[in-house]
Amino acid sequence: MKKHSARAAPLSACNSPVLTLTKVEGDERSRESPAPAEAQMQAGAEGGGRVSRCCWKCSVTQLKKIFWGVAVVLGVCSSWSGSTQLAKLTFKKFDAPFTLTWFATNWNFLFFPLYYLGHVFKSAEKQSPKQRYRECCRFFGDNGLTLKVFFTKAAPFGVLWTLTNYLYLHAIKKINTTDVSVLFCCNKAFVFLLSWIVLRDRFMGVRIVAAIFAIAGIVMMTYADGFHSHSVIGIALVVGSASMSALYKVLFKLLLGSAKFGEAALFLSVLAVFNVLFVTCIPVILYFTKVEYWSSFDIVPWGNLCGFSILLLTFNILLNFGIAITYPTLISLGIVLSVPVNAVVDHYTSEIVFNSVRVIAIVIIGLGFLLLLLPEEWDVWVIKLLTRLKVRKKEELPEGNGDVTSGLPNKSRRTRPSMSSFAH
């Protein structure tokens, strides 16, 4: 109730001067008693002014969203491609993909503190960190974040998060970053297939076509290098990473539903807590078994590790909270645009061969990804657009006939009236 009253108060304050202004104008009109034609003109001018103001506000709002959308797209593209390239450089000095995954996941703990800082600066009603935490904990249920909820609703997603990132980073060791980034785009097709099977989402033919494109692109990408064991393992790792990412998203929707910004920030911070408590033992075991071993901590490229973690954190922040300032479709475009960026970098830094099969595979997977960005009602919009175009053409034809007969004498106009008069 407090929020409602707080929102209603500014509206009444804004409307009161307008009401006073209309009263004064009404008194002046009763004194002057203008003619009906003048009154109609005044009313029309006022109505036109209001419409133009509304249109101006709408256009400014849309321009702001598009501007922020472009900024977010550039941020998503640069952070995703930058983290991929930096991981590739890191593995030349520090060959430990799981340790890098564990180190970068720990940075997720910053999600909720960063969200709370944004809440303090932006929200009108300030809350203490404890109050905000308790309010966001309702996302996990009536009892909040209990030990049972932690193991049943947070731990599975922590495992999927770790697997997604580890398989992606391990694939970067096997194949070039262009192939890794384009194959990871298939996760959107996997999300659709799992949502259709598990969540019983609406069947869409265009998305089935997109899924077929994704599968065809994977096969062609494998064929591009001649089915060598090294490239096949790398492609299998990326497809596994995309599958884990799709499973993460579908299970989140199935078990937890949709989350607000604060709830999502708290959930991602909880994943970092799970990572510290239960995943830390795995890098230690890998170190002592010399699977991921380094002779001394002095040779660890801490700058690369921290840079990769910051870029990945930035990417996840933009991906999860960018919808607050722009359209979700624009955010997804940033992931696709990272493919040509990685291709340009690979062209100058590695021995990648862009043969016809690889280029066709990249185009097919990219096209499938773009098809999956179409909204569910895209076919209805297309039908409406075609209907409007047909109606306009029908209206333009009679008007054209009327213009052609405009050169005839007046008698012919009276005896043979134009068909345009009956069109309306």
Side-chain angles (χ1 to χ4, degrees), residues 68-145:
W68 283 113
V70 172
V72 170
V73 165
L74 293 175
V76 169
C77 176
S78 58
S79 59
W80 185 237
S81 58
S83 62
T84 303
Q85 293 294 333
L86 193 56
K88 189 82 173 178
L89 288 173
T90 304
F91 292 145
K92 293 178 180 179
K93 304 175 183 178
F94 184 72
D95 189 9
F98 195 93
T99 305
L100 181 59
T101 302
W102 171 83
F103 183 81
T105 304
N106 290 335
W107 288 62
N108 279 10
F109 187 79
L110 295 174
F111 268 101
F112 190 75
L114 289 173
Y115 162 76
Y116 182 74
L117 286 175
H119 163 75
V120 169
F121 283 109
K122 195 173 181 182
S123 180
E125 296 181 0
K126 304 291 188 298
Q127 289 182 330
S128 65
K130 193 174 182 180
Q131 289 174 333
R132 200 64 195 163
Y133 170 78
R134 286 180 177 176
E135 189 173 333
C136 293
C137 276
R138 294 175 188 172
F139 170 69
F140 295 100
D142 296 333
N143 297 325
L145 183 60

Side-chain angles (χ1 to χ4, degrees), residues 65-359:
K65 269 203 166 187
I66 292 170
F67 171 77
W68 283 113
V70 172
V72 170
V73 165
L74 293 175
V76 169
C77 176
S78 58
S79 59
W80 185 237
S81 58
S83 62
T84 303
Q85 293 294 333
L86 193 56
K88 189 82 173 178
L89 288 173
T90 304
F91 292 145
K92 293 178 180 179
K93 304 175 183 178
F94 184 72
D95 189 9
F98 195 93
T99 305
L100 181 59
T101 302
W102 171 83
F103 183 81
T105 304
N106 290 335
W107 288 62
N108 279 10
F109 187 79
L110 295 174
F111 268 101
F112 190 75
L114 289 173
Y115 162 76
Y116 182 74
L117 286 175
H119 163 75
V120 169
F121 283 109
K122 195 173 181 182
S123 180
E125 296 181 0
K126 304 291 188 298
Q127 289 182 330
S128 65
K130 193 174 182 180
Q131 289 174 333
R132 200 64 195 163
Y133 170 78
R134 286 180 177 176
E135 189 173 333
C136 293
C137 276
R138 294 175 188 172
F139 170 69
F140 295 100
D142 296 333
N143 297 325
L145 183 60
T146 60
L147 197 63
K148 181 183 177 181
V149 170
F150 179 80
F151 283 107
T152 56
K153 292 187 177 181
F157 294 100
V159 173
L160 289 173
W161 180 282
T162 303
L163 285 174
T164 300
N165 288 280
Y166 170 68
L167 293 173
Y168 185 87
L169 291 175
H170 197 68
I172 292 174
K173 288 176 55 182
K174 303 289 184 182
I175 55 178
N176 56 74
T177 57
T178 304
D179 293 352
V180 172
S181 58
V182 72
L183 286 168
F184 190 77
C185 291
C186 295
N187 77 319
K188 209 162 184 67
F190 299 156
V191 168
F192 162 69
L193 292 173
L194 285 173
S195 299
W196 181 40
I197 296 168
V198 178
L199 303 177
R200 305 292 181 185
D201 278 3
R202 178 188 170 190
F203 174 82
M204 291 182 65
V206 68
R207 294 189 177 178
I208 289 291
V209 173
I212 293 170
F213 280 176
I215 296 168
I218 292 169
V219 175
M220 292 184 70
M221 192 67 74
T222 309
Y223 178 74
D225 289 328
F227 293 98
H228 296 300
S229 60
H230 208 261
S231 62
V232 169
I233 292 171
I235 290 168
L237 289 170
V238 185
V239 173
S241 174
S243 303
M244 292 298 105
S245 174
L247 187 61
Y248 175 97
K249 293 176 182 177
V250 173
L251 281 180
F252 189 92
K253 194 173 181 181
L254 179 66
L255 299 177
L256 299 171
S258 58
K260 297 176 183 177
F261 294 119
E263 296 166 349
L266 178 62
F267 182 79
L268 291 169
S269 295
V270 169
L271 294 186
V273 174
F274 170 82
N275 186 68
V276 171
L277 294 177
F278 298 100
V279 185
T280 305
C281 59
I282 298 177
V284 175
I285 293 170
L286 293 175
Y287 176 78
F288 285 107
T289 55
K290 295 191 176 181
V291 176
E292 293 186 358
Y293 180 77
W294 52 96
S295 57
S296 67
F297 284 92
D298 294 333
I299 66 169
V300 176
W302 293 108
N304 287 7
L305 266 65
C306 293
F308 171 79
S309 303
I310 291 169
L311 286 172
L312 195 61
L313 179 68
T314 305
F315 171 76
N316 286 310
I317 288 172
L318 293 173
L319 204 65
N320 287 281
F321 305 122
I323 55 174
I325 55 176
T326 187
Y327 304 102
T329 305
L330 289 176
I331 299 173
S332 299
L333 284 175
I335 300 173
V336 184
L337 291 175
S338 67
V339 176
V341 173
N342 285 321
V344 171
V345 176
D346 284 347
H347 177 70
Y348 289 103
T349 59
S350 66
E351 297 178 355
I352 185 172
V353 178
F354 288 101
N355 51 28
S356 58
V357 179
R358 176 175 270 110
V359 172

Side-chain angles (χ1 to χ4, degrees), residues 22-38:
T22 50
K23 258 192 171 182
V24 174
E25 287 178 352
D27 294 339
E28 289 177 357
R29 284 174 192 167
S30 62
R31 289 173 189 172
E32 295 174 1
S33 64
E38 293 177 359

